[in-house]
Amino acid sequence: QKEVEQNSGPLSVPEGAIASLNCTYSDRGSQSFFWYRQYSGKSPELIMFIYSNGDKEDGRFTAQLNKASQYVSLLIRDSQPSDSATYLCALKTNDYKLSFGAGTTVTVRA
Amino acid sequence: SAVISQKPSRDICQRGTSLTIQCQVDSQVTMMFWYRQQPGQSLTLIATANQGSEATYESGFVIDKFPISRPNLTFSTLTVSNMSPEDSSIYLCSVPQGQDLGGYTFGSGTRLTVV
């Protein structure tokens, strides 16, 4: 089983809608989780990190973590065409390495 | 958070040759990581570059193919040796942003094409 499983999409949403991205992980000992955004031809950019159960909001982005069920999600509210990108879920392992999911490509239709 | 300068940004190389990629960080960092992103794929960790000791390689990656140097706490190089077309990828370095539970920053990447 891969360490991080991410629904690979692609995901297409209309402008103004909510985009919902999900990830599950296998190691119950994982402490911190990250969502990166990667535009085509660019390097990944950190948009959210979360390490406590519950929700964490930053602007139009909300990260959700449920350690009992071993999933982490990202909601993008009021999606804009500029949100069109690949979103990568990652977790930090016990030896401080990042393990990435496969990525979900999001397209926001104007 | 740390700022990374990575170069070259891209290169086209002949098979059988080697390319060295450099990452310079604007602050001292204990750990630096090298990733590969194959076309249409996610990121795969190649190795952890440790200052003053040998790099630690992930399964499937070996020092002879990807030698790494880490002469100080702000600089590292990754060499892709004896290249083949299968090595065509984006190579990225990454460092912690600072907090123990915080995220990691990535360099701008090196897009390598082997012909």
Side-chain angles (χ1 to χ4, degrees):
Chain A
Q1 182 185 3
K2 293 179 74 173
E3 205 158 15
V4 183
E5 297 277 358
Q6 185 175 357
N7 52 330
S8 57
L11 179 64
S12 178
V13 299
E15 185 174 357
I18 295 175
S20 177
L21 309 170
N22 299 299
C23 234
T24 58
Y25 59 94
S26 58
D27 183 0
R28 283 192 173 275
S30 300
Q31 295 284 330
S32 47
F33 305 85
F34 307 89
W35 284 99
Y36 281 84
R37 177 177 62 197
Q38 187 174 27
Y39 292 114
S40 180
K42 301 295 186 181
S43 63
E45 170 195 12
L46 181 67
I47 54 172
M48 294 284 290
F49 73 89
I50 186 168
Y51 48 85
S52 298
N53 272 325
D55 295 0
K56 180 181 179 182
E57 188 173 315
D58 184 359
R60 295 184 296 107
F61 298 97
T62 299
Q64 299 172 316
L65 174 61
N66 184 320
K67 291 188 177 180
S69 300
Q70 295 176 243
Y71 82 77
V72 57
S73 63
L74 180 71
L75 300 176
I76 307 173
R77 292 184 303 281
D78 188 24
S79 295
Q80 302 296 309
S82 60
D83 295 326
S84 297
T86 296
Y87 291 81
L88 299 159
C89 170
L91 60 80
K92 188 182 292 186
T93 65
N94 289 336
D95 48 4
Y96 301 98
K97 303 171 186 176
L98 285 184
S99 181
F100 284 87
T104 300
T105 299
V106 175
T107 301
V108 180
R109 309 186 304 271
Chain B
S1 60
V3 176
I4 304 172
S5 175
Q6 182 174 346
K7 57 183 180 182
S9 59
R10 60 179 62 230
D11 207 341
I12 301 173
C13 300
Q14 297 290 322
R15 67 177 66 203
T17 63
S18 298
L19 176 71
T20 295
I21 301 166
Q22 300 179 3
C23 274
Q24 177 75 52
V25 188
D26 69 344
S27 58
Q28 293 186 334
V29 290
T30 306
M31 291 181 289
M32 188 177 291
F33 303 92
W34 287 97
Y35 287 85
R36 181 176 73 182
Q37 188 172 29
Q38 294 178 298
Q41 303 296 313
S42 187
L43 282 77
T44 301
L45 181 64
I46 297 171
T48 303
N50 307 304
Q51 195 269 332
S53 64
E54 292 282 335
T56 306
Y57 289 83
E58 298 300 304
S59 176
F61 297 96
V62 296
I63 188 171
D64 290 347
K65 176 67 176 177
F66 298 101
I68 287 171
S69 78
R70 183 84 197 274
N72 57 54
L73 291 175
T74 64
F75 186 78
S76 180
T77 67
L78 169 76
T79 299
V80 186
S81 303
N82 188 23
M83 288 183 285
S84 66
E86 292 71 36
D87 295 319
S88 298
S89 291
I90 299 172
Y91 294 86
L92 300 120
C93 60
S94 176
V95 300
Q97 285 186 332
Q99 302 161 287
D100 184 50
L101 293 176
Y104 285 29
T105 296
F106 284 85
S108 53
T110 297
R111 182 180 295 271
L112 170 62
T113 303
V114 183
V115 297

